[in-house]
Amino acid sequence: MSVLIDLIYGGSTVLVGLTEAGLRDAIAKYGPQKEIAFPDTEYYFPFLYAATGAKVQTLEDLNNCVAAMKKMISNQEDLYLALNAGLAAIMGAEIIEGLKYAGNSHPYETDTGLGFLPDSAVRTLGKALLSGEIPGAAALLGKAENTEDLLNIVSDYRKNGVLVFLEGDIIEQCAQGGVEMGLEQGIIPLGHDITSVVHALTLTVRGALIGGEVKPGDLPALREFTRNRVPAVVNTFGAIDAVVVSAGAGAIALGFPVIVDIDLEESQMTGVLESVCDHSQTVKKSLELGTIKINEPEKTETSIPEDNTKPD
């Protein structure tokens, strides 16, 4: 098995274990009928709902979701199947994040991250992203070796109108560098755990559901939507481990290229997983691979309505 595929499966398996353990502990503490939900959304656990059709309302509902995750991890020497395991990692990330809300309605209150973004954010940022008003999005993960390089990258993205999501120690690095963060600034700190990156993903997933362009449970349609309608890229900073690789594989499966700042050598995949060790070239390469249009992007029609109707 190739090194890359082995890392994807390994990271996805780790996330399954963490998800199972977290769910088991939550059920032991609160009981299987404990109601669970992300705040201010009509879309249950949005990625799970879009990918599987599962309407998660109680802890017990998550058992079937974990079983579905396990089925997606085949451990076969096939890149497509490995990317499916990456999607399982995204599912696990959403469950782990959701469990944070089981006993605390504001688990990010003492964190510098915002955590789950409400549907109102979808109807502003998500709508602008899908229409082309916002030309693209970049998710930045990890800890940069050079803070000045990181600040320049964030600044360059914003100069090009790109929406920036932050996860990990780079949040503090940006704060210490005087970067103003928040929804209005277009520089959005999500949280410190790798699983928090799922909150950037569900922004676009809910946009697809709200507009009716993806029906719940239609994973192929979801993948087609994110590949063709969402210009985005993932940047990782610093050392990566199997969990980060598996989450990155999930991003790639949804059509989002991943750029790392370490040399992956033969594990690179042209156009979807590339090393850019010179930070002065990170944004340029990201705009290229993420198909982010920065010169007067064409407006495309979006069917996202203004009301907040719960889907069927």
Side-chain angles (χ1 to χ4, degrees):
M1 190 175 294
S2 73
V3 173
L4 178 61
I5 290 177
D6 188 53
L7 283 171
I8 294 171
Y9 283 131
S12 298
T13 300
V14 168
L15 273 171
V16 167
L18 292 173
T19 303
E20 282 189 302
L23 179 57
R24 183 172 58 249
D25 291 347
I27 289 176
K29 185 174 183 179
Y30 302 111
Q33 297 306 311
K34 167 72 174 178
E35 293 184 356
I36 186 169
F38 285 110
D40 303 317
T41 182
E42 295 292 323
Y43 297 94
Y44 311 100
F45 278 45
F47 186 74
L48 288 171
Y49 184 50
T52 71
K55 299 179 178 181
V56 174
Q57 295 174 292
T58 68
L59 289 175
E60 187 175 41
D61 294 335
L62 289 170
N63 284 317
N64 289 335
C65 298
V66 172
M69 285 176 61
K70 290 181 175 180
K71 290 180 180 179
M72 297 174 74
I73 304 175
S74 69
N75 289 313
Q76 294 184 43
E77 180 66 26
D78 181 279
L79 183 58
Y80 180 83
L81 293 177
L83 293 180
N84 272 346
L87 291 175
I90 300 296
M91 293 169 63
E94 185 170 56
I95 293 172
I96 290 170
E97 286 294 307
L99 290 174
K100 293 179 180 180
Y101 291 86
N104 185 350
S105 59
H106 299 92
Y108 279 87
E109 198 166 38
T110 59
D111 195 292
T112 50
L114 298 179
F116 185 83
L117 303 174
D119 283 353
S120 59
V122 178
R123 297 180 184 280
T124 52
L125 297 177
K127 183 176 180 179
L129 181 61
L130 295 178
S131 70
E133 182 181 349
I134 294 176
L140 279 55
L141 288 64
K143 181 177 181 179
E145 182 177 344
N146 186 299
T147 298
E148 185 176 353
D149 285 352
L150 171 66
L151 298 180
N152 287 336
I153 288 170
V154 171
S155 176
D156 285 349
Y157 273 132
R158 291 304 298 144
K159 286 177 182 177
N160 285 305
V162 175
L163 192 63
V164 177
F165 296 96
L166 305 176
E167 179 277 324
D169 290 339
I170 57 175
I171 296 174
E172 274 70 31
Q173 290 180 290
C174 284
Q176 292 166 7
V179 176
E180 291 188 26
M181 295 176 282
L183 294 177
E184 293 184 356
Q185 287 75 25
I187 303 172
I188 304 169
L190 296 173
H192 289 82
D193 297 331
I194 179 62
T195 51
S196 67
V197 74
V198 75
H199 301 313
L201 172 63
T202 63
L203 188 75
T204 57
V205 168
R206 280 176 283 160
L209 292 170
I210 290 171
E213 292 163 278
V214 173
K215 300 299 182 184
D218 192 344
L219 180 58
L222 176 63
R223 294 176 68 165
E224 188 72 14
F225 178 89
T226 52
R227 284 196 189 104
N228 297 326
R229 289 290 307 280
V230 185
V233 67
V234 177
N235 296 155
T236 71
F237 295 86
I240 57 177
D241 57 23
V243 172
V244 173
V245 171
S246 65
I252 291 170
L254 294 167
F256 307 140
V258 176
I259 294 174
V260 304
D261 68 350
I262 61 174
D263 190 358
L264 292 178
E265 299 177 347
E266 71 278 0
S267 292
Q268 295 185 72
M269 295 185 292
T270 302
V272 292
L273 175 63
E274 295 195 19
S275 297
V276 177
C277 299
D278 180 355
H279 287 142
S280 69
Q281 298 300 308
T282 298
V283 173
K284 179 181 178 181
K285 175 62 75 170
S286 296
L287 296 177
E288 173 190 330
L289 296 187
T291 62
I292 296 171
K293 299 177 181 179
I294 60 174
N295 295 319
E296 297 297 328
E298 294 183 6
K299 300 294 191 298
T300 55
E301 292 297 321
T302 176
S303 56
I304 296 179
E306 294 302 322
D307 63 311
N308 193 17
T309 305
K310 189 170 183 176
D312 294 331

